[in-house]
Amino acid sequence: MHESTTTPAPAGPFGRCAAAMITPFTEDGGALDLDGARRLATHLVDRGGCDALVLNGTTGESPTTTDAEKTALVRAVAQAVGDRATVVAGVGTADTRHSAALARAAQAAGADGLLVVTPYYSRPTQEASVQHLRNVADAAELPVMLYDIPARTGTGTALTADSLRALAEHPRIVAVKDCSFDLLKAGLVMGATDLAYYAGSEELNLPLLALGAAGCVSTLANVAGPQVRGVLDAFAAGDTEGAARRHRALLPLVDALMHEVPGTVAVKALFRVAGLPGGPVRGPLLPAGEPLTARLADALKDALRSYSVGPG
């Protein structure tokens, strides 16, 4: 295998490797664990290879945290990592006014950017979804990453390529976290706009990089940050063979982590084994039982071993 001497591609507006960070809760009652959040954020940045942290997203259990908890988490993490990482705050809700208020609160708490999901449940038209996202972007003076995840918001609210092209004209809308599983749409939008794409589904990290994505927002990075980062860095340096090998080595872990239970449940189970801050999940999620936790731990060990050994 021949390593390329190509200069690594520059990171996007939200870094290259962003962890979709879990929200730690205390064991005694499941309150927000701010000390644990600070320690975890520091771990992910200083030892986990992450140059960005995305808070209050799907993996962060945002549907079950209060506005005050969301703001307190952003403030604590921003103070913990300082300028060593970009802090992106999830502020998307189904209510435009609520999302705008969360955006302003996140800015005041020290966030560097905003993650805004397409509005869900109400099934707004494309025109209404575009206006909602523009209004939230107008509410604060921070760069915005759109969150296109139709599996959780409903296929009726998946942003079309035309909507994404229109949103790209907004001066603060600069990126997309893509969980649409639509490589055609992603490629068309990347070719027609300056939006920086971030893979939001682990199995598409490398395919989206090949189309021109800037990086990923990764749940897997909570437990295998250096390995996720290794795929991105190898590709950016021109070592496509090495990037593909690393990516394939992680896929069994992706399958174990994301497809039997929600990723949050799996990550918190592994954190419990490793003694990292995490605590319980909040209902309606249920914790992983001992058999699942054992399978997850084995999958993590096997993936890390396969990743480090490489081709025979």
Side-chain angles (χ1 to χ4, degrees):
M1 180 174 64
H2 300 286
E3 299 281 346
S4 170
T5 57
T6 304
T7 301
F14 299 108
R16 179 173 289 130
C17 183
M21 196 177 107
I22 63 146
T23 299
F25 299 129
T26 62
E27 294 291 348
D28 54 341
L32 183 63
D33 180 4
L34 289 178
D35 181 63
R38 295 183 190 97
R39 289 188 285 120
L40 177 57
T42 300
H43 169 81
L44 292 174
V45 172
D46 294 345
R47 299 182 60 188
C50 298
D51 49 18
L53 301 173
V54 176
L55 312 177
N56 299 324
T58 304
T59 306
E61 298 179 76
S62 60
T64 55
T65 56
T66 67
D67 291 0
E69 287 175 326
K70 289 178 173 66
T71 301
L73 180 67
V74 171
R75 182 176 294 108
V77 170
Q79 291 172 350
V81 302
D83 60 2
R84 305 194 310 283
T86 300
V87 175
V88 182
V91 299
T93 73
D95 177 349
T96 304
R97 290 182 300 174
H98 188 190
S99 298
L102 286 174
R104 290 188 289 268
Q107 179 173 339
D112 301 302
L114 304 174
L115 176 70
V116 189
V117 72
T118 50
Y120 45 87
Y121 193 79
S122 298
R123 296 179 65 85
T125 63
Q126 287 293 307
E127 180 184 5
S129 293
V130 167
Q131 189 58 52
H132 166 90
L133 294 164
R134 284 173 172 160
N135 288 342
V136 179
D138 286 339
E141 298 177 356
L142 294 175
V144 169
M145 176 188 289
L146 304 173
Y147 191 5
D148 190 10
I149 182 167
R152 291 182 185 269
T153 60
T155 54
T157 58
L159 292 169
T160 65
D162 284 343
S163 292
L164 286 161
R165 283 190 281 262
L167 287 162
E169 296 175 1
H170 192 288
R172 283 196 286 276
I173 296 176
V174 298
V176 178
K177 178 184 176 184
D178 184 35
C179 294
S180 70
F181 287 91
D182 190 340
L183 292 174
L184 175 59
K185 180 175 74 173
L188 289 171
V189 174
M190 278 188 262
T193 73
D194 292 327
L195 289 172
Y197 260 67
Y198 288 80
S201 303
E202 312 285 348
E203 57 266 53
L204 293 185
N205 286 358
L206 188 56
L208 274 168
L209 286 177
L211 283 173
C216 66
V217 178
S218 170
T219 296
L220 190 63
N222 283 281
V223 298
Q227 290 73 28
V228 173
R229 179 66 185 243
V231 175
L232 307 179
D233 287 349
F235 187 86
D239 179 14
T240 55
E241 182 182 345
R245 175 180 62 79
R246 291 171 172 86
H247 180 77
R248 289 193 300 267
L250 292 175
L251 289 178
L253 179 58
V254 171
D255 191 32
L257 200 74
M258 303 300 294
H259 293 155
E260 186 169 349
V261 292
T264 306
V265 174
V267 169
K268 287 196 169 183
L270 288 171
F271 277 12
R272 185 177 297 276
V273 172
L276 289 170
V281 292
R282 282 184 176 171
L285 298 181
L286 292 174
E290 290 184 8
L292 174 58
T293 299
R295 292 198 302 274
L296 290 168
D298 288 342
L300 177 59
K301 292 175 185 176
D302 289 345
L304 298 183
R305 186 182 305 114
S306 175
Y307 186 99
S308 62
V309 169

